[in-house]
Amino acid sequence: MSSVDFTWLIGGPQGSGVESGANIFSRVCAEMGYQIFGKREFYSNIKGEHSYFTVRIADKKIHSNVDDVNLMASFDAETIFRHYDEVVSGGGIIYDSDLDGIKTDAVHTLDAPFKERLHKELESKNKPFTIAGVLEIAKEKGVKLFPVSFKSILLTLSEETENPRLKGLIRMYNVIGVSLSLGLVKMPTDSLQKTIDNIFSNKPEIAKINQQTANYSYNYAAAKFENFDYTLPGTQKEPGTLLVQGFQGTALGKMACGCRLQPYYPITPASDESVFLESNEILEINGDRPGSTAVIQTEDEICAMGMTIGGALTGTRSATCTSGPGFALMTEMLGWAGINEVPIVITNYQRSGPSTGLPTRHGQDDLLFAVFAGHGDFPKIVYASGEIEESFYDTGNCFNYADTFQVPVIHLMDKFHASSVITCKRFDTEKISIDRGLLLDKVEDGYRRFEFTEDGISPRSRLGIDNGIFWDTGDESDETGHITEDPILRVKMMDKRMSRLELISKRIPNEEQAVSFGIEDYTIISWGSTIGPVKDALDMLKKEGISIGLIQLKLMHPFPADYVSSLLKDAKTIIDVEANHSGQLGKIFKQNISRDVDYFILKYSGRAMTSTEVYDALKKIVQNKAEKREVLMHGA
Amino acid sequence: MALKPAEFKTDVHNDWCPGCGDFGIVNAIQMALADMGVQRDKTAIFSGIGCSGKTSHYINTYGVHTLHGRVLTFAQGAKIANPEMTIVAVGGDGDGLGIGAGHFVAAGRRNVNMTYIIFDNGVYGLTKGQASPTLKLGEKTKSLPSPNTNSNVNPIGLAIASGFTFVARGYSYDIRHLKDLIVQAVKHPGLSFLDVLQPCPTYNDLNTRDWYAGADLMDEAQKRHSRIYKLEETGYEPTVHYDSEIEINEKLSQALIKSLEWGNKIPIGVFYKNENTTPYTKRLQDKIPNYLENPPAKQNVSKNGHSNTDISKILDSLEV
Ligand SMILES: Cc1ncc(C[n+]2csc(CCOP(=O)(O)OP(=O)(O)O)c2C)c(N)n1
Ligand code: SF4
């Protein structure tokens, strides 16, 4: 069996259907049994700026993108200018032949620094500053060009279907691009039809036009294009395969593990999760009447956090979802939740900072901020999911940790997760256990909310139950929750709360704190979404006989110092891979383990890491040619 | 059996300054809770930060002393999660109209069924007497180094403009009247707001108890004329009865005009009241059919330690 590893790229102005085009393409490929890893890149803009989607397709499980593009479907000039050089020799570019003469200067969304680099390249190769110019370079490299006049396709189609509206419907360009691509790689056509029917199932009129356009374009490619090196005939589909987007993992996890209140304030890339939760607000409950998630859009993140805490005080599993700038606003209340021992979950989809930084781009910039968030000392948990599939189960764990240890939990996700699309095994709710800790339903007389106990965890009442009256305050308090400034009691209370950190380290199973994928002389430490590219890079190296170890950190705070140092005792060289400027994991690693990281592989261009570039950097390290800090740059 | 006001007291030492107007407000709240016969464990007092923020510790119900300016956010979350709770939020004028002003406006739009009481003393008490948002431009209370450089916000006007559906003013030295207002406010089916004039003898030497009583306003017969007068004694009618746009606008305009009265005549009582605006929890019920009968706090989320939520239909839709 030949192995398939194929990357398709579609690009166009924001709002032109790039995302839905990619959605159709991904679904069709997933329908045909392929594994998918897709990722969207876009500007902080609603309409007009460049947006693109890469979909990697393989016949085995993949965890990341690669640098190379095998086929690019473009229907605008900018996509060609920006991505022509990513297409490999033997790969192909489907493009709108009407654009041949377009000059770089005519594309107003090409920003100056990019244009400067492009002009330099064209000049050095003695090519005109036009589409034809860049395509010539591609052709000389061995890329096959597939010119099509998108306008005339619509025109012929409109005549054939006797639908005069069609000829002006440039909205159909994305479907044309997708279908030409599928025709070119000889994807069985019935899966395309099925997918379109599926996507437009409640809009039969639109389904019909899309169907006609798809068929026509598919056949056009098959008839007019010369043979292409790559074919995707389909493979064995594994039953129970999901095609999910990043934010759906945590959202479904929240539904399944009993989160019933999610106040939020809109912020990219976090809001998609809340919108998805609200779209599915009514929940089916086994053997009981329907339940629901109250999703509340608030006036700001401060209110979202306040409502989340207020909800948690009633015993409700409550969460909010945000990104860096929003999380920054929540930190005062984080301390309040800490001192009052309120279990809540904050899902933080990080993006590139500081400030609003690159609002729609990738970055793992908030690790240190999350670990140190809040004034004063108080116990909290910072937990990071690596891959989307994990995030479903991790969400359940985060709520259990919050409840059993009565602490706020910050669940770190990021933009790479949020805008990736993957195939994975169907989520298994059976595996979600629910542990509400010492949450009381009934309370005896003489209740004290913050009672000193042996393990430092006090039975927890909730607003509204008989005899369960308690007082909360952001000030230091006694066992009943009333304000105290007594120095002895203060020390006792502080010790009680902070002892929770040790308990957390002790009670959370090792394998939920950090995952070892093998320890070698060279061993990587990494966390969050970069785990995917690292895993794939390690696979590539293994094929060449190079074995590198990997530890994935999940419990970021309290840091699993003993466990991680015991794992690493035989590793000679430690490599930290993460997506920020300062090597934040390396910093807390050093702080907790007193061991230096030998190499950093970092990326902070705002673009997601690819396995190719991680592979390249690792190779340099083993060949002893690397700098201490290898900075990755791939991506437009 | 209904509890007496004393049973709503805690034995926590009250550390307010002698003569502070806050005492009257706490007494009025305790009397109102007793009057209404609420259950202690179905009631929660949420408070902000400031002298007034300590109120929740003095009342023997669930008490949540939150953060400066944020009391409404916590309180609304609790009410949304458990709509059977009786919830009263309290805080200072600095707390609610300065740092918390955004939440104040947003809460008005939401109309969560609960009560918000502002202890309005014109100063920041707990931080030692800086100007609060209700202090007038150019006024100089004793701990200000120079006269106030900001104009004031009008709490009644702001509440009306923000959509609060019950808006009233009380006076902390008229405890019976204040208690009646609190009872009406708590019973109001929606978000009710009470601006309570609260002399701070320690820092506000302008709006003192004597000033409110009109010690400086004598007629020819040397008779004092209290600045404070009761709206209900003037035939003022605050209630929207027919829920027509015309009537609502009429009642809103008269309330706004009344809210501007200040100086020698200061009205207390109910300015505006509209029971027809759908409360937030009912708005949720309208889109989540069994929300009120099975609200977040009442839902059972597990069976034998496992998830009881069936997400299989959503998973089916994601399956390829
Ligand atoms: C975020 C934050 N900023 C500032 C403070 C300090 N602070 C404590 S009380 C207070 C003012 C309280 O004034 P007011 O709300 O009018 O209440 P009063 O004390 O007059 O009852 C301030 C500014 C704080 N606790 N938190
Ligand atoms: S400072 Fe003013 S408001 Fe605060 S307790 Fe003293 S008198 Fe009351």
Side-chain angles (χ1 to χ4, degrees), chain B residues 15-23 50-52 121 123-126 128-129 198-204:
Chain B
D15 65 359
W16 285 327
C17 310
C20 175
D22 285 352
F23 288 103
C51 300
S52 45
N121 56 14
V123 290
Y124 280 52
L126 201 61
K128 300 196 172 180
Q198 173 245 318
C200 164
T202 306
Y203 293 116
N204 189 336

PDB file of all heavy atoms in Angstrom, chain B residues 15-23 50-52 121 123-126 128-129 198-204, ligand 2:
ATOM      1  N   ASP B  15     -17.779  47.402  62.778  1.00  0.00           N
ATOM      2  CA  ASP B  15     -16.707  48.377  62.974  1.00  0.00           C
ATOM      3  C   ASP B  15     -16.928  49.707  62.250  1.00  0.00           C
ATOM      4  O   ASP B  15     -15.985  50.434  61.959  1.00  0.00           O
ATOM      5  CB  ASP B  15     -15.343  47.770  62.614  1.00  0.00           C
ATOM      6  CG  ASP B  15     -15.221  47.424  61.140  1.00  0.00           C
ATOM      7  OD1 ASP B  15     -16.194  47.633  60.388  1.00  0.00           O
ATOM      8  OD2 ASP B  15     -14.148  46.937  60.735  1.00  0.00           O
ATOM      9  N   TRP B  16     -18.173  50.008  61.921  1.00  0.00           N
ATOM     10  CA  TRP B  16     -18.442  51.309  61.316  1.00  0.00           C
ATOM     11  C   TRP B  16     -18.253  52.431  62.343  1.00  0.00           C
ATOM     12  O   TRP B  16     -18.423  52.217  63.558  1.00  0.00           O
ATOM     13  CB  TRP B  16     -19.875  51.369  60.773  1.00  0.00           C
ATOM     14  CG  TRP B  16     -20.045  50.580  59.492  1.00  0.00           C
ATOM     15  CD1 TRP B  16     -19.129  50.403  58.520  1.00  0.00           C
ATOM     16  CD2 TRP B  16     -21.216  49.856  59.082  1.00  0.00           C
ATOM     17  NE1 TRP B  16     -19.642  49.619  57.507  1.00  0.00           N
ATOM     18  CE2 TRP B  16     -20.915  49.270  57.839  1.00  0.00           C
ATOM     19  CE3 TRP B  16     -22.475  49.651  59.654  1.00  0.00           C
ATOM     20  CZ2 TRP B  16     -21.852  48.495  57.134  1.00  0.00           C
ATOM     21  CZ3 TRP B  16     -23.402  48.887  58.951  1.00  0.00           C
ATOM     22  CH2 TRP B  16     -23.083  48.315  57.707  1.00  0.00           C
ATOM     23  N   CYS B  17     -17.950  53.659  61.874  1.00  0.00           N
ATOM     24  CA  CYS B  17     -17.774  54.789  62.779  1.00  0.00           C
ATOM     25  C   CYS B  17     -19.092  55.056  63.518  1.00  0.00           C
ATOM     26  O   CYS B  17     -20.173  54.870  62.959  1.00  0.00           O
ATOM     27  CB  CYS B  17     -17.430  56.069  62.020  1.00  0.00           C
ATOM     28  SG  CYS B  17     -16.103  55.908  60.848  1.00  0.00           S
ATOM     29  N   PRO B  18     -18.973  55.540  64.743  1.00  0.00           N
ATOM     30  CA  PRO B  18     -20.189  55.920  65.458  1.00  0.00           C
ATOM     31  C   PRO B  18     -20.969  56.949  64.644  1.00  0.00           C
ATOM     32  O   PRO B  18     -20.366  57.843  64.043  1.00  0.00           O
ATOM     33  CB  PRO B  18     -19.652  56.559  66.746  1.00  0.00           C
ATOM     34  CG  PRO B  18     -18.251  56.057  66.895  1.00  0.00           C
ATOM     35  CD  PRO B  18     -17.742  55.768  65.523  1.00  0.00           C
ATOM     36  N   GLY B  19     -22.278  56.762  64.579  1.00  0.00           N
ATOM     37  CA  GLY B  19     -23.120  57.716  63.859  1.00  0.00           C
ATOM     38  C   GLY B  19     -23.171  57.507  62.361  1.00  0.00           C
ATOM     39  O   GLY B  19     -23.789  58.281  61.630  1.00  0.00           O
ATOM     40  N   CYS B  20     -22.544  56.475  61.865  1.00  0.00           N
ATOM     41  CA  CYS B  20     -22.530  56.230  60.415  1.00  0.00           C
ATOM     42  C   CYS B  20     -23.941  55.892  59.929  1.00  0.00           C
ATOM     43  O   CYS B  20     -24.659  55.112  60.552  1.00  0.00           O
ATOM     44  CB  CYS B  20     -21.602  55.071  60.091  1.00  0.00           C
ATOM     45  SG  CYS B  20     -21.653  54.611  58.351  1.00  0.00           S
ATOM     46  N   GLY B  21     -24.320  56.435  58.783  1.00  0.00           N
ATOM     47  CA  GLY B  21     -25.631  56.163  58.202  1.00  0.00           C
ATOM     48  C   GLY B  21     -25.828  54.712  57.808  1.00  0.00           C
ATOM     49  O   GLY B  21     -26.951  54.245  57.616  1.00  0.00           O
ATOM     50  N   ASP B  22     -24.722  53.982  57.672  1.00  0.00           N
ATOM     51  CA  ASP B  22     -24.832  52.585  57.257  1.00  0.00           C
ATOM     52  C   ASP B  22     -25.651  51.741  58.243  1.00  0.00           C
ATOM     53  O   ASP B  22     -26.335  50.797  57.842  1.00  0.00           O
ATOM     54  CB  ASP B  22     -23.438  51.951  57.133  1.00  0.00           C
ATOM     55  CG  ASP B  22     -22.703  52.419  55.875  1.00  0.00           C
ATOM     56  OD1 ASP B  22     -23.331  53.107  55.050  1.00  0.00           O
ATOM     57  OD2 ASP B  22     -21.519  52.089  55.724  1.00  0.00           O
ATOM     58  N   PHE B  23     -25.586  52.100  59.532  1.00  0.00           N
ATOM     59  CA  PHE B  23     -26.323  51.301  60.529  1.00  0.00           C
ATOM     60  C   PHE B  23     -27.806  51.237  60.195  1.00  0.00           C
ATOM     61  O   PHE B  23     -28.433  50.189  60.276  1.00  0.00           O
ATOM     62  CB  PHE B  23     -26.135  51.892  61.940  1.00  0.00           C
ATOM     63  CG  PHE B  23     -24.762  51.668  62.510  1.00  0.00           C
ATOM     64  CD1 PHE B  23     -23.830  52.693  62.528  1.00  0.00           C
ATOM     65  CD2 PHE B  23     -24.414  50.427  63.032  1.00  0.00           C
ATOM     66  CE1 PHE B  23     -22.562  52.486  63.067  1.00  0.00           C
ATOM     67  CE2 PHE B  23     -23.138  50.217  63.580  1.00  0.00           C
ATOM     68  CZ  PHE B  23     -22.215  51.246  63.587  1.00  0.00           C
ATOM     69  N   GLY B  50     -15.698  48.492  50.428  1.00  0.00           N
ATOM     70  CA  GLY B  50     -15.859  49.820  51.002  1.00  0.00           C
ATOM     71  C   GLY B  50     -16.402  49.603  52.393  1.00  0.00           C
ATOM     72  O   GLY B  50     -16.586  48.451  52.820  1.00  0.00           O
ATOM     73  N   CYS B  51     -16.681  50.681  53.122  1.00  0.00           N
ATOM     74  CA  CYS B  51     -17.306  50.499  54.435  1.00  0.00           C
ATOM     75  C   CYS B  51     -18.573  49.677  54.260  1.00  0.00           C
ATOM     76  O   CYS B  51     -18.816  48.699  54.966  1.00  0.00           O
ATOM     77  CB  CYS B  51     -17.670  51.855  55.027  1.00  0.00           C
ATOM     78  SG  CYS B  51     -16.240  52.913  55.256  1.00  0.00           S
ATOM     79  N   SER B  52     -19.380  50.086  53.276  1.00  0.00           N
ATOM     80  CA  SER B  52     -20.655  49.423  53.018  1.00  0.00           C
ATOM     81  C   SER B  52     -20.482  47.963  52.641  1.00  0.00           C
ATOM     82  O   SER B  52     -21.380  47.148  52.834  1.00  0.00           O
ATOM     83  CB  SER B  52     -21.368  50.155  51.888  1.00  0.00           C
ATOM     84  OG  SER B  52     -20.430  50.419  50.860  1.00  0.00           O
ATOM     85  N   ASN B 121     -23.001  58.112  49.994  1.00  0.00           N
ATOM     86  CA  ASN B 121     -22.521  59.091  50.966  1.00  0.00           C
ATOM     87  C   ASN B 121     -21.649  60.178  50.357  1.00  0.00           C
ATOM     88  O   ASN B 121     -21.071  60.995  51.054  1.00  0.00           O
ATOM     89  CB  ASN B 121     -21.777  58.393  52.122  1.00  0.00           C
ATOM     90  CG  ASN B 121     -20.624  57.535  51.622  1.00  0.00           C
ATOM     91  OD1 ASN B 121     -20.221  57.664  50.463  1.00  0.00           O
ATOM     92  ND2 ASN B 121     -20.111  56.673  52.471  1.00  0.00           N
ATOM     93  N   VAL B 123     -18.800  60.152  49.277  1.00  0.00           N
ATOM     94  CA  VAL B 123     -17.347  60.013  49.474  1.00  0.00           C
ATOM     95  C   VAL B 123     -16.935  58.540  49.387  1.00  0.00           C
ATOM     96  O   VAL B 123     -17.775  57.649  49.427  1.00  0.00           O
ATOM     97  CB  VAL B 123     -16.894  60.549  50.858  1.00  0.00           C
ATOM     98  CG1 VAL B 123     -17.004  62.047  50.931  1.00  0.00           C
ATOM     99  CG2 VAL B 123     -17.701  59.869  51.973  1.00  0.00           C
ATOM    100  N   TYR B 124     -15.650  58.350  49.235  1.00  0.00           N
ATOM    101  CA  TYR B 124     -15.076  57.023  49.379  1.00  0.00           C
ATOM    102  C   TYR B 124     -14.738  56.865  50.851  1.00  0.00           C
ATOM    103  O   TYR B 124     -13.767  57.444  51.319  1.00  0.00           O
ATOM    104  CB  TYR B 124     -13.788  56.900  48.551  1.00  0.00           C
ATOM    105  CG  TYR B 124     -13.999  56.648  47.082  1.00  0.00           C
ATOM    106  CD1 TYR B 124     -14.835  57.462  46.326  1.00  0.00           C
ATOM    107  CD2 TYR B 124     -13.354  55.598  46.442  1.00  0.00           C
ATOM    108  CE1 TYR B 124     -15.021  57.226  44.979  1.00  0.00           C
ATOM    109  CE2 TYR B 124     -13.534  55.357  45.090  1.00  0.00           C
ATOM    110  CZ  TYR B 124     -14.371  56.166  44.360  1.00  0.00           C
ATOM    111  OH  TYR B 124     -14.557  55.937  43.036  1.00  0.00           O
ATOM    112  N   GLY B 125     -15.569  56.110  51.569  1.00  0.00           N
ATOM    113  CA  GLY B 125     -15.360  56.002  53.000  1.00  0.00           C
ATOM    114  C   GLY B 125     -14.075  55.275  53.347  1.00  0.00           C
ATOM    115  O   GLY B 125     -13.148  55.851  53.915  1.00  0.00           O
ATOM    116  N   LEU B 126     -13.999  54.043  52.942  1.00  0.00           N
ATOM    117  CA  LEU B 126     -12.917  53.189  53.449  1.00  0.00           C
ATOM    118  C   LEU B 126     -11.513  53.627  53.013  1.00  0.00           C
ATOM    119  O   LEU B 126     -10.532  53.263  53.637  1.00  0.00           O
ATOM    120  CB  LEU B 126     -13.166  51.729  53.051  1.00  0.00           C
ATOM    121  CG  LEU B 126     -12.430  50.678  53.887  1.00  0.00           C
ATOM    122  CD1 LEU B 126     -12.818  50.732  55.350  1.00  0.00           C
ATOM    123  CD2 LEU B 126     -12.689  49.283  53.343  1.00  0.00           C
ATOM    124  N   LYS B 128     -10.695  56.764  52.958  1.00  0.00           N
ATOM    125  CA  LYS B 128     -10.501  58.013  53.689  1.00  0.00           C
ATOM    126  C   LYS B 128     -10.947  59.271  52.975  1.00  0.00           C
ATOM    127  O   LYS B 128     -10.212  60.265  52.927  1.00  0.00           O
ATOM    128  CB  LYS B 128      -9.044  58.162  54.133  1.00  0.00           C
ATOM    129  CG  LYS B 128      -8.610  57.039  55.046  1.00  0.00           C
ATOM    130  CD  LYS B 128      -7.346  57.410  55.765  1.00  0.00           C
ATOM    131  CE  LYS B 128      -7.051  56.346  56.808  1.00  0.00           C
ATOM    132  NZ  LYS B 128      -5.853  56.620  57.534  1.00  0.00           N
ATOM    133  N   GLY B 129     -12.137  59.200  52.410  1.00  0.00           N
ATOM    134  CA  GLY B 129     -12.831  60.423  52.085  1.00  0.00           C
ATOM    135  C   GLY B 129     -12.579  61.090  50.756  1.00  0.00           C
ATOM    136  O   GLY B 129     -12.924  62.253  50.574  1.00  0.00           O
ATOM    137  N   GLN B 198     -26.932  58.365  52.597  1.00  0.00           N
ATOM    138  CA  GLN B 198     -26.304  57.824  53.801  1.00  0.00           C
ATOM    139  C   GLN B 198     -25.245  58.799  54.313  1.00  0.00           C
ATOM    140  O   GLN B 198     -24.130  58.815  53.821  1.00  0.00           O
ATOM    141  CB  GLN B 198     -25.666  56.464  53.469  1.00  0.00           C
ATOM    142  CG  GLN B 198     -24.848  55.855  54.567  1.00  0.00           C
ATOM    143  CD  GLN B 198     -23.372  55.750  54.194  1.00  0.00           C
ATOM    144  OE1 GLN B 198     -23.050  55.385  53.055  1.00  0.00           O
ATOM    145  NE2 GLN B 198     -22.488  56.069  55.126  1.00  0.00           N
ATOM    146  N   PRO B 199     -25.588  59.627  55.278  1.00  0.00           N
ATOM    147  CA  PRO B 199     -24.594  60.549  55.811  1.00  0.00           C
ATOM    148  C   PRO B 199     -23.375  59.813  56.353  1.00  0.00           C
ATOM    149  O   PRO B 199     -23.511  58.817  57.060  1.00  0.00           O
ATOM    150  CB  PRO B 199     -25.339  61.257  56.948  1.00  0.00           C
ATOM    151  CG  PRO B 199     -26.775  61.143  56.582  1.00  0.00           C
ATOM    152  CD  PRO B 199     -26.909  59.814  55.894  1.00  0.00           C
ATOM    153  N   CYS B 200     -22.207  60.308  55.976  1.00  0.00           N
ATOM    154  CA  CYS B 200     -20.948  59.782  56.503  1.00  0.00           C
ATOM    155  C   CYS B 200     -20.369  60.863  57.389  1.00  0.00           C
ATOM    156  O   CYS B 200     -19.751  61.801  56.911  1.00  0.00           O
ATOM    157  CB  CYS B 200     -19.999  59.461  55.348  1.00  0.00           C
ATOM    158  SG  CYS B 200     -18.271  59.241  55.846  1.00  0.00           S
ATOM    159  N   PRO B 201     -20.603  60.751  58.698  1.00  0.00           N
ATOM    160  CA  PRO B 201     -20.173  61.830  59.586  1.00  0.00           C
ATOM    161  C   PRO B 201     -18.660  62.002  59.628  1.00  0.00           C
ATOM    162  O   PRO B 201     -18.167  63.067  59.978  1.00  0.00           O
ATOM    163  CB  PRO B 201     -20.705  61.393  60.960  1.00  0.00           C
ATOM    164  CG  PRO B 201     -21.010  59.952  60.844  1.00  0.00           C
ATOM    165  CD  PRO B 201     -21.291  59.664  59.420  1.00  0.00           C
ATOM    166  N   THR B 202     -17.950  60.985  59.234  1.00  0.00           N
ATOM    167  CA  THR B 202     -16.491  61.079  59.331  1.00  0.00           C
ATOM    168  C   THR B 202     -15.877  61.886  58.192  1.00  0.00           C
ATOM    169  O   THR B 202     -14.949  62.662  58.408  1.00  0.00           O
ATOM    170  CB  THR B 202     -15.877  59.669  59.390  1.00  0.00           C
ATOM    171  OG1 THR B 202     -16.508  58.967  60.457  1.00  0.00           O
ATOM    172  CG2 THR B 202     -14.380  59.709  59.616  1.00  0.00           C
ATOM    173  N   TYR B 203     -16.375  61.740  56.993  1.00  0.00           N
ATOM    174  CA  TYR B 203     -15.725  62.414  55.864  1.00  0.00           C
ATOM    175  C   TYR B 203     -16.591  63.408  55.102  1.00  0.00           C
ATOM    176  O   TYR B 203     -16.071  64.279  54.413  1.00  0.00           O
ATOM    177  CB  TYR B 203     -15.182  61.375  54.863  1.00  0.00           C
ATOM    178  CG  TYR B 203     -14.047  60.579  55.433  1.00  0.00           C
ATOM    179  CD1 TYR B 203     -14.169  59.206  55.637  1.00  0.00           C
ATOM    180  CD2 TYR B 203     -12.868  61.213  55.808  1.00  0.00           C
ATOM    181  CE1 TYR B 203     -13.127  58.478  56.182  1.00  0.00           C
ATOM    182  CE2 TYR B 203     -11.819  60.496  56.360  1.00  0.00           C
ATOM    183  CZ  TYR B 203     -11.960  59.122  56.548  1.00  0.00           C
ATOM    184  OH  TYR B 203     -10.933  58.407  57.091  1.00  0.00           O
ATOM    185  N   ASN B 204     -17.912  63.250  55.154  1.00  0.00           N
ATOM    186  CA  ASN B 204     -18.736  64.174  54.380  1.00  0.00           C
ATOM    187  C   ASN B 204     -19.383  65.192  55.321  1.00  0.00           C
ATOM    188  O   ASN B 204     -20.405  64.928  55.961  1.00  0.00           O
ATOM    189  CB  ASN B 204     -19.812  63.403  53.592  1.00  0.00           C
ATOM    190  CG  ASN B 204     -20.537  64.307  52.607  1.00  0.00           C
ATOM    191  OD1 ASN B 204     -20.574  65.540  52.798  1.00  0.00           O
ATOM    192  ND2 ASN B 204     -21.109  63.722  51.562  1.00  0.00           N
TER     193      ASN B 204
HETATM  194  S1  SF4 C   2     -16.041  56.398  56.990  1.00  0.00           S
HETATM  195 FE1  SF4 C   2     -18.105  57.153  56.722  1.00  0.00          FE
HETATM  196  S2  SF4 C   2     -19.144  55.545  55.629  1.00  0.00           S
HETATM  197 FE2  SF4 C   2     -17.320  54.659  56.494  1.00  0.00          FE
HETATM  198  S3  SF4 C   2     -17.955  53.822  58.443  1.00  0.00           S
HETATM  199 FE3  SF4 C   2     -17.164  55.842  58.828  1.00  0.00          FE
HETATM  200  S4  SF4 C   2     -18.954  57.093  58.743  1.00  0.00           S
HETATM  201 FE4  SF4 C   2     -19.522  55.211  57.784  1.00  0.00          FE
END
